[in-house]
Amino acid sequence: MYTFKDKYGEYLSLFESRLERFYDELKCSPQILDDSIKYSLKSGGKRVRPVLMLACAELLGVKISDVEDFALALELIHTYSLIHDDLPEMDNDDFRRGRPSNHKVFGVGNAVLAGDGLLNTAYYILFEKCSEGANFADAAKFMCGCAGVHGMIAGQSADLYCAEKAIKDRQMLDFIVENKTGRLISAAVAVPAIIAGGKNFIELNQFGEDLGRLFQIVDDILDEEGKFAKLGKTSGKDKSEGKLTYVTYYGLEQCRVYADILSDKCLALLDGLDGDVQFLRDVVSFVRYREE
């Protein structure tokens, strides 16, 4: 009998097995580089992005073995972004996932290098996949674009700029969320579609963008209302630092309404796909009602 928890655990177990092989292969020198990289990778997290990628691969009939390295590269990129995001020069957060942030344990310099190492290793993995065919090369190119100066980095830059200049602009807010959060979630669901020759790419890419918006709006709500024990990071920082977020722009009540609208939009997109989309529908509910 299907349960969301069991199916999520199945995908998570597959991904964690790939991560374990990565840990065995890493063996960085000096030891502090190895330790700092593994510290953040092993700090837990829901692994939403790799789980989404494996689920979409299964939906589209793509072999797990064809996407597991893409899922690994995606998680390396995401983890690097969290390490850098916590730095004093960025969001200045001392905690991540209930543990001291990387720079609080290993120092700012080593945290920067750990993030750099994760990003460069992700690109190395993606470059290797390019040799497996045109679809794999296209998928690698797409993911690099999602992570780069026209994707996640652009969103982070706009986030810092708006906080520094006290900008409260809806177009800038949409730009920040679309790029800083949405692009990597789009990569998670669009990469299997690219490998499958473009099957359902438009629908899944749009689903990823909307799911990214939903993820961020819930994250902004939790930053306002959540507790450290569940979040594993400092709450209330966005408001205190003057960040441009859904909550600081729209307010809590309107954010809850918008979250419900986005949730319905994600579900409607899934209804247009062939195959068993129940797990992806449950992911939408999981994101909408998460408490951490």
Side-chain angles (χ1 to χ4, degrees):
M1 178 180 175
Y2 166 87
T3 69
F4 174 67
K5 182 178 179 181
D6 288 345
K7 191 64 177 176
Y8 197 103
E10 179 184 324
Y11 290 130
L12 185 59
S13 179
L14 286 170
F15 179 68
E16 292 291 345
S17 294
R18 180 63 188 95
L19 259 183
E20 286 297 326
R21 298 201 305 274
F22 174 74
Y23 297 147
D24 292 340
E25 298 160 0
L26 192 58
K27 297 182 175 61
C28 292
S29 182
Q31 189 63 44
I32 192 171
L33 180 60
D34 196 87
D35 291 343
S36 59
I37 286 174
K38 290 177 181 176
Y39 176 83
S40 291
L41 276 174
K42 292 183 175 183
S43 65
K46 295 173 283 294
R47 314 287 196 203
V48 171
R49 292 156 191 81
V51 165
L52 271 172
M53 188 177 289
L54 298 184
C56 286
E58 187 170 64
L59 173 68
L60 297 171
V62 175
K63 293 185 293 184
I64 295 297
S65 59
D66 283 342
V67 299
E68 63 178 3
D69 281 356
F70 285 96
L72 173 61
L74 185 58
E75 188 66 7
L76 299 189
I77 292 168
H78 176 58
T79 302
Y80 120 76
S81 75
L82 298 182
I83 293 174
H84 284 191
D85 205 40
D86 289 337
L87 292 171
E89 294 78 9
M90 304 284 261
D91 281 0
N92 192 26
D93 207 317
D94 291 347
F95 294 94
R96 172 70 63 176
R97 294 170 177 166
R99 301 201 300 172
S101 300
N102 195 292
H103 71 274
K104 299 302 292 184
V105 178
F106 300 98
V108 170
N110 284 310
V112 170
L113 291 172
D116 292 347
L118 285 164
L119 177 60
N120 281 277
T121 302
Y123 280 10
Y124 179 85
I125 292 168
L126 293 174
F127 186 76
E128 285 196 315
K129 295 299 291 184
C130 291
S131 64
E132 297 184 26
N135 290 348
F136 291 88
D138 287 343
K141 181 181 179 181
F142 181 83
M143 189 183 293
C144 290
C146 289
V149 296
H150 300 295
M152 182 182 65
I153 290 174
Q156 178 67 25
S157 178
D159 185 31
L160 290 173
Y161 180 75
C162 288
E164 290 168 0
K165 302 297 183 181
I167 293 172
K168 303 295 181 185
D169 179 83
R170 192 181 75 178
Q171 286 186 320
M172 286 299 290
L173 174 59
D174 290 341
F175 180 87
I176 290 167
V177 174
E178 176 185 346
N179 288 282
K180 184 179 178 181
T181 305
R183 293 300 298 275
L184 288 194
I185 292 180
S186 291
V189 299
V191 160
I194 296 170
I195 293 174
K199 182 179 179 182
N200 294 133
F201 172 82
I202 293 174
E203 298 89 343
L204 285 171
N205 190 50
Q206 185 62 57
F207 170 74
E209 289 179 6
D210 291 332
L211 186 65
R213 292 186 184 95
L214 177 61
F215 192 96
Q216 188 59 58
I217 201 168
V218 173
D219 208 51
D220 291 349
I221 291 170
L222 290 174
D223 183 79
E224 182 76 11
E225 297 185 319
K227 304 297 183 183
F228 177 83
K230 284 192 173 182
L231 295 180
K233 60 181 181 179
T234 308
S235 60
K237 284 180 63 63
D238 290 343
K239 186 175 183 179
S240 66
E241 295 179 357
K243 286 291 188 75
L244 177 58
T245 71
Y246 282 122
V247 170
T248 60
Y249 188 85
Y250 291 109
L252 273 171
E253 292 309 314
Q254 194 167 348
C255 280
R256 292 190 180 96
V257 173
Y258 190 25
D260 289 336
I261 292 171
L262 283 169
S263 179
D264 289 343
K265 189 177 179 184
C266 288
L267 295 175
L269 282 164
L270 293 175
D271 288 341
L273 300 180
D274 294 329
D276 185 357
V277 296
Q278 185 58 53
F279 179 79
L280 293 179
R281 290 180 64 87
D282 289 341
V283 167
V284 175
S285 180
F286 170 68
V287 170
R288 171 64 185 91
Y289 297 108
R290 67 192 176 94
E291 296 181 347
E292 57 183 6

